[in-house]
Amino acid sequence: MTQTRSRATSLACSLFLLVLAALAVWSVLPPSPRSADAAADEFSAGRAFATVEAVGGEVHPHGTAAAAAVRDTIVADLEELGLDPEVTDGVGMSGRLGDQSRVAATKNVVATIPGTDSTGPVFLVAHYDSAEVSHGANDDGAGVATLLETARALGEGEPLRNDLVLVFTDAEEACLCGAEAFAHADPRAADGGVVVNVEARGSSGPAIMFETSDGNAALVDAYSHVPYPVGSSMAVEVYRILPNDTDFSPFLDDPEGRFTGLNSAYIDGSATYHAPQDTPERMSTASLQHHGANMLALARELGDADAATLATPSADDATYFPLPGGVLARYPGRLVWPLAVAALLAVGALAVAVARRREVRGERTTAGALALGFASALLPLAGAVVGSIALWWVMGLVRPGYDEMLDPWRPWGFRVALLGIVATVWTAWFLGLRRSLGGAALAVGALGWLAVLGVVLAAVTPGGSYLAALPALAGAVAGLLTLRVARGVVGRRVVVTLGAAVGVVLLVPIVLLFFPALGLATGAAPAVVAALLALVLTPVLAVLWPRGRRRALGLVGGCAAVGVVALVVGFVVDPFDAEHPEPTRLAYALDADTGSAHWVSDEGAPSDWTAQFVDTETDLSEPFPMFDGEVHAGDAEAADLPAPVVDVEDAEPAGDARVLTLRVTPGEGAPIGTAGALRYVQLNAAGVESATVAGREVPVGGGALDTRFYAPGDDGFEVTLTVPAGQPLDLRVVAAGGGLEGLPGFVERPTGVGVAGSHTSELVLVGTSVSL
Ligand SMILES: [Zn+2]
């Protein structure tokens, strides 16, 4: 065995893993956008982009004239495709089960592409409204464009078997109310069906199928046939934990369980999310192509399937993940526990075999060394968490505006820095302890944590167990083989490399998908997955990396240098400027009864610009119940803004109670601010027995009314309240508009300071108390 041959093997093994990692990255990248002259039966982002420009040309929240214009465009486009669209008036409600309720009058656009012999409807869903201050080109202009271009391409082929129902929902950003109104009351939804929802929570990146209904095996199987499947059962588990919602939620929450379905979104470039910068120019048309190519294929697949069967949950949730070559690997959920247990047993067997030998390649492998190896292998995982928190802290220290963001505008430098931190901690752990504990004990310890995590995840989030269990199993089997079969240096290296290859293929895409999913603000998630990858690679490091202090320092130092350089690059390439402003949040609240007014901000620590308005922390939740707990506030000049008006239309006794019928109107001179429509009117009261808003019964947990009606027109909306007879009712009424410009004392934002993408940005509140 010459040293040259040994080096060549090491190099080949390292290159093999690098190529594999590159292929794994490539497997979750969006495809190239097709131009406008692509074949007619294909999805073309080039063609679809015209819709994006029409939808995202103006800020168009629910209830505004701009939203009506977008709706008209969709109707016209559908008619041009030879379809028969209908604008359906409904009243949607969210929070049916909670203490808060949110209600909106909605206008969904619905069009059916009739099937030849339908076995049940397939609903393709996207929302056409934007968030309050956002152009909504991506969110959800991308979804609208995807649906329209899909419908066009479908018209070029043979008719499908099932009815495809295109649902362009209203008021998603307000309260998911369009989708709820559709699921609740549209006759086309009465018998349920399969729902495919398309969303965007950013401006770029792969279109990830990130949410499914329960019992997803059959639908995941259907999805696996799309050309660019990107999804992981781990993503489904993570999303179930997060408090986010889309139009998919009202379908999933259907009390009769009539719907099954899939939900996809692209989520990178999240700095634009809900922000004024969510414009057509910012859209990655590759992401749009990814959405569309998959949607078209899925529509064809579901359109010819037995929709009745797919609308019933499967017995199992599938475990699934992307593999290189556009493959979505999947296996039934009932295999999760057997695989997790098999991994644990295999690592256990490896540990016993190694301990029995007492020595592996000149290193002592006593039970004590193995125990310490296992205990110490928690360090790379813990280090990844601590490192990610430290990184975010440093980022906020250098550029405080980051504190209000999920991810910076241009996050890649910082992402590489985080990987550098994980690599530094990992190599320092391994090379630092190698002399005393031995590489074999550390490698077995690393696999041990993967096996333990595989079992823990099987219990907590079964869809994520594969991420730890399969690499542990492969690593342990490879380890056992090196002890019994592959004894030569070359054979040993090849076997250990192949064992780690499984983990590389499984974990690299998840690191990549987790970066945007949770942002660097929650960088611990991708960092931990990267640390799992490091554990997977520990046996490779043990057999490939030569011993010696200088070489060890070289590797650790190299990783640290990558981290530091990437961090510096991250700061240099991502300054706040006109195109990439620092997000700030400011609201204005006027009590019309007392004339007192406040500037309010729920920023964590007010930015320099915000700080000129707010100077104290106050609890304003009594007069303005939309503010939870303490907020930053400062005195403001009272503006001449109308308070909402409550008229009692009827008051009837009903046994021990009285029933009040009220009409709530915005007040003369509203809309407040510049958005062109009132955002909502909120009503709060105690001691209410039951209530309806615009005809929908709303919950009153413990007698507390907490309801909101979005975008009331000049005629307002009707509320009925049943209250105990003989007691006055104190009703707090707050109207919410948007747009701070023109308010007394408001100072324009300088270049480089922008409006944060949030539902409370630029909020203008006028409150009044009414005793009835
Ligand atoms: Zn959206």
Side-chain angles (χ1 to χ4, degrees):
M1 183 69 195
T2 64
Q3 214 182 353
T4 324
R5 200 165 144 218
S6 160
R7 277 212 185 132
T9 317
S10 294
L11 199 65
C13 287
S14 309
L15 269 177
F16 170 72
L17 289 176
L18 274 176
V19 168
L20 214 55
L23 284 173
V25 168
W26 179 63
S27 73
V28 294
L29 293 184
S32 312
R34 306 304 307 267
S35 63
D37 56 8
D41 62 349
E42 272 186 68
F43 186 97
S44 151
R47 286 189 285 256
F49 193 69
T51 303
V52 173
E53 288 179 307
V55 173
E58 270 186 76
V59 176
H60 56 284
H62 162 64
T64 59
V70 168
R71 187 166 61 237
D72 291 345
T73 305
I74 296 169
V75 169
D77 286 358
L78 289 167
E79 282 171 346
E80 202 166 308
L81 293 174
L83 298 172
D84 191 14
E86 193 189 334
V87 177
T88 59
D89 283 296
V91 176
M93 180 173 90
S94 67
R96 191 167 20 200
L97 304 174
D99 295 335
Q100 295 181 329
S101 54
R102 306 291 183 243
V103 183
T106 58
K107 288 179 183 294
N108 295 327
V109 182
V110 187
T112 301
I113 306 175
T116 52
D117 183 20
S118 187
T119 56
V122 176
F123 304 104
L124 311 185
V125 182
H127 68 88
Y128 72 82
D129 63 315
S130 75
E132 289 82 350
V133 297
S134 173
H135 282 73
N138 291 282
D139 178 13
D140 192 16
V144 171
T146 294
L147 258 56
L148 286 172
E149 170 67 3
T150 295
R152 188 208 55 73
L154 288 174
E156 299 291 328
E158 290 293 308
L160 299 169
R161 181 179 172 199
N162 299 321
D163 290 347
L164 289 191
V165 185
L166 307 170
V167 189
F168 301 88
T169 61
D170 192 6
E172 191 270 356
E173 300 292 358
C175 51
L176 317 173
C177 282
E180 199 276 344
F182 181 80
H184 174 75
D186 196 290
R188 283 157 285 215
D191 296 326
V194 182
V195 176
V196 183
N197 188 56
V198 265
E199 265 285 4
R201 198 222 56 191
S203 59
S204 59
I208 306 164
M209 198 279 282
F210 67 96
E211 189 183 17
T212 69
S213 50
D214 286 334
N216 61 27
L219 281 172
V220 167
D221 194 60
Y223 174 78
S224 73
H225 300 140
V226 304
Y228 312 103
V230 176
S232 158
S233 40
M234 183 58 177
V236 173
E237 301 282 10
V238 170
Y239 193 77
R240 279 177 188 163
I241 297 167
L242 296 175
N244 298 358
D245 271 310
T246 69
D247 270 344
F248 198 52
S249 300
F251 290 101
L252 288 192
D253 296 346
D254 179 59
E256 292 151 54
R258 293 170 296 158
F259 302 95
T260 61
L262 302 173
N263 197 4
S264 296
Y266 56 85
I267 59 174
D268 210 352
S270 66
T272 65
Y273 179 52
H274 287 173
Q277 287 76 23
D278 183 359
T279 54
E281 311 81 70
R282 300 249 180 184
M283 174 184 282
S284 156
T285 47
S287 299
L288 180 60
Q289 182 70 34
H290 199 175
H291 248 339
N294 283 357
M295 175 57 116
L296 177 58
L298 198 55
R300 288 186 174 131
E301 173 89 20
L302 299 174
D304 274 338
D306 181 352
T309 306
L310 288 175
T312 313
S314 306
D316 251 329
D317 268 336
T319 284
Y320 58 93
F321 42 85
L323 289 182
V327 176
L328 192 78
R330 58 206 180 280
Y331 57 80
R334 59 180 175 276
L335 292 182
V336 166
W337 269 107
L339 284 167
V341 171
L344 199 63
L345 292 176
V347 175
L350 177 65
V352 169
V354 168
R356 277 206 182 142
R357 294 204 155 205
R358 297 166 156 242
E359 194 189 286
V360 174
R361 293 185 293 288
E363 292 172 341
R364 284 188 313 115
T365 54
T366 58
L370 282 166
L372 286 173
F374 176 70
S376 72
L378 203 53
L379 280 174
L381 289 169
V385 174
V386 173
S388 66
I389 295 169
L391 173 67
W392 187 245
W393 180 76
V394 168
M395 287 170 64
L397 206 63
V398 174
R399 209 159 273 164
Y402 285 157
D403 289 339
E404 294 302 311
M405 305 180 83
L406 183 66
D407 243 351
W409 287 100
R410 291 148 292 199
W412 272 107
F414 301 117
R415 289 178 182 173
V416 174
L418 185 53
L419 295 178
I421 290 171
V422 172
T424 305
V425 175
W426 169 55
T427 50
W429 158 74
F430 180 83
L431 298 169
L433 293 178
R434 189 186 205 178
R435 258 170 90 96
S436 50
L437 298 179
L442 294 171
V444 174
L447 294 176
W449 278 109
L450 288 169
V452 167
L453 262 172
V455 171
V456 171
L457 290 171
V460 183
T461 56
S465 175
Y466 82 94
L467 280 173
L470 297 188
L473 185 57
V477 168
L480 286 166
L481 284 175
T482 62
L483 291 180
R484 302 199 184 275
V485 191
R487 297 208 168 173
V489 173
V490 172
R492 198 160 58 226
R493 288 180 181 185
V494 169
V495 166
V496 166
T497 301
L498 290 175
V502 172
V504 170
V505 168
L506 297 183
L507 288 161
V508 165
I510 302 303
V511 175
L512 219 60
L513 298 181
F514 265 27
F515 269 125
L518 298 160
L520 285 162
T522 323
V528 164
V529 182
L532 292 182
L533 181 61
L535 294 183
V536 164
L537 291 171
T538 302
V540 179
L541 197 60
V543 298
L544 291 193
W545 196 257
R547 295 197 178 97
R549 184 179 289 264
R550 263 181 59 192
R551 285 188 168 122
L553 283 176
L555 185 61
V556 178
C559 292
V562 167
V564 171
V565 170
L567 181 64
V568 172
V569 169
F571 282 119
V572 170
V573 302
D574 192 51
F576 289 124
D577 54 33
E579 295 290 297
H580 313 88
E582 174 182 4
T584 56
R585 263 192 296 225
L586 188 67
Y588 175 87
L590 168 70
D591 190 318
D593 302 336
T594 62
S596 74
H598 314 268
W599 295 110
V600 184
S601 177
D602 50 7
E603 289 173 22
S607 67
D608 288 348
W609 179 80
T610 312
Q612 65 186 314
F613 301 97
V614 297
D615 50 14
T616 57
E617 284 186 68
T618 324
D619 186 342
L620 289 170
S621 59
E622 187 82 26
F624 300 100
M626 48 287 297
F627 296 125
D628 240 358
E630 298 243 304
V631 286
H632 299 283
D635 291 338
E637 214 179 301
D640 184 18
L641 291 170
V645 178
V646 178
D647 289 313
V648 181
E649 293 193 324
D650 202 14
E652 290 277 328
D656 291 345
R658 58 189 177 121
V659 180
L660 299 168
T661 303
L662 314 174
R663 178 149 293 274
V664 183
T665 45
E668 204 159 334
I672 302 168
T674 56
L678 212 57
R679 288 184 184 175
Y680 59 80
V681 174
Q682 180 162 330
L683 303 176
N684 289 78
V688 176
E689 290 173 4
S690 68
T692 68
V693 174
R696 296 286 304 259
E697 185 165 353
V698 299
V700 280
L705 177 74
D706 182 352
T707 195
R708 200 181 268 188
F709 186 84
Y710 280 90
D714 292 344
D715 299 339
F717 57 101
E718 192 180 81
V719 178
T720 66
L721 301 177
T722 304
V723 296
Q727 282 179 31
L729 176 75
D730 293 317
L731 191 62
R732 183 68 186 171
V733 191
V734 182
L740 303 174
E741 276 164 44
L743 290 175
F746 179 72
V747 181
E748 299 264 346
R749 291 172 170 87
T751 305
V753 177
V755 176
S758 83
H759 293 308
T760 54
S761 294
E762 308 298 274
L763 195 61
V764 180
L765 301 169
V766 184
T768 181
S769 293
V770 182
S771 197
L772 302 168

